[in-house]
Amino acid sequence: MPSADERWTAVDRYLTELLVPPDPALRAALDSDLPPHDVSPLEGKLLYLLARAVEARAVLELGTLAGYSTIWLGQAVGPRGRMVTIDIDPQHAEVARANLERAELGDIVEVRVASALDALRGLIADSAGPFDLIFIDADKANNAVYLELALELSRPGTLIVADNVVRAGAVAEAESEDATVQGVRRFFDLLAAEPRVTATAIQTVGAKGYDGLALALVL
Ligand code: DHB
Ligand code: MG
């Protein structure tokens, strides 16, 4: 009997082979020599479908890494769309820019090197919003602050998506000493209390283990 993890991985592979056609630019982003914290192919396509479903033309992403989810979202906004993606690490940004060029998204996607906090404040100061979809996938300890600022860059109908909100189940541990768990819990406290959004979250399993996504619609 395969372990639960082996079955999650096998099902991820099965569904990915059927539903996510190979794409050389996406493959190259996954093969970049950076930490393997990209979203899975099925999650990448979920981001793409969500962006298409809300007809997103302006997308903001916090946490670029190699640009794998960036490419999915950039493909969704189309040639007349625009996207800003933020990463604090200049090496991530350099790798992502090359991957976005390969995906022919270099003209659509701007990669900014900054902390998510500084970048959000800058975008607000520049009146760069509203964005139609905002993907929060940076350092999880600050997730609540990112949500608060993301709301300043939103309009009614903006979809806010946050990655890694279950942390292998640790999110249910109120007494956790893990700063990322406490950050995600503050994020959920804010979501629950914030009258400007209605939200849900789903747990996910797959090749990336056990985690989850939060979705919030701005009212
Ligand atoms: C980590 C970050 C991510 O965004 C992710 O999807 C998985 C893991 C991490 O920092 O450990
Ligand atoms: Mg993530």
Side-chain angles (χ1 to χ4, degrees), residues 37-38 137-138 140 163-164 167:
H37 296 157
D38 321 271
D137 192 20
K140 316 310 173 204
D163 197 24
N164 311 113
R167 319 295 309 181

Side-chain angles (χ1 to χ4, degrees), residues 136 142-152 160 187 190-191:
I136 302 177
N142 289 316
N143 259 20
V145 186
Y146 300 156
L147 173 62
E148 223 166 84
L149 295 173
L151 287 171
E152 304 303 315
I160 298 175
F187 166 86
L190 182 59
L191 269 189

Side-chain angles (χ1 to χ4, degrees), residues 185-201:
R185 288 179 64 89
R186 280 193 298 279
F187 166 86
F188 277 123
D189 285 344
L190 182 59
L191 269 189
E194 174 54 67
R196 286 176 291 176
V197 300
T198 184
T200 192

Side-chain angles (χ1 to χ4, degrees), residues 2 8 10 23 32 51 61-62 77 96 103 106 124 148 153 156 160 175 179 196 206 208 210 218-219:
W8 300 344
D23 174 312
S32 303
E61 176 182 64
L62 307 179
V77 300
I124 293 166
E148 223 166 84
L153 293 164
I160 298 175
E175 308 304 325
R196 286 176 291 176
K208 296 277 169 176
Y210 171 30
V218 179
L219 300 170

Side-chain angles (χ1 to χ4, degrees), residues 58-184:
V59 170
L60 172 62
E61 176 182 64
L62 307 179
T64 312
L65 196 61
Y68 180 73
S69 49
T70 323
I71 293 172
W72 275 114
L73 289 164
Q75 288 178 343
V77 300
R80 289 204 302 276
R82 71 186 175 99
M83 179 166 177
V84 179
T85 183
I86 315 291
D87 206 290
I88 197 168
D89 187 324
Q91 193 206 338
H92 294 179
E94 190 183 321
V95 170
R97 285 190 190 112
N99 287 330
L100 287 159
E101 282 298 330
R102 196 179 287 110
E104 297 181 2
L105 292 168
D107 293 340
I108 291 166
V109 183
E110 180 196 348
V111 184
R112 282 196 197 178
V113 179
S115 72
L117 205 57
D118 286 347
L120 286 163
R121 288 182 178 139
L123 289 165
I124 293 166
D126 294 346
S127 302
F131 292 91
D132 307 309
L133 187 148
I134 300 177
F135 181 45
I136 302 177
D137 192 20
D139 56 312
K140 316 310 173 204
N142 289 316
N143 259 20
V145 186
Y146 300 156
L147 173 62
E148 223 166 84
L149 295 173
L151 287 171
E152 304 303 315
L153 293 164
S154 297
R155 56 160 175 85
T158 293
L159 188 63
I160 298 175
V161 184
D163 197 24
N164 311 113
V165 297
V166 171
R167 319 295 309 181
V171 71
E173 294 166 16
E175 308 304 325
S176 172
E177 288 175 13
D178 182 331
T180 66
V181 170
Q182 289 303 339
V184 172

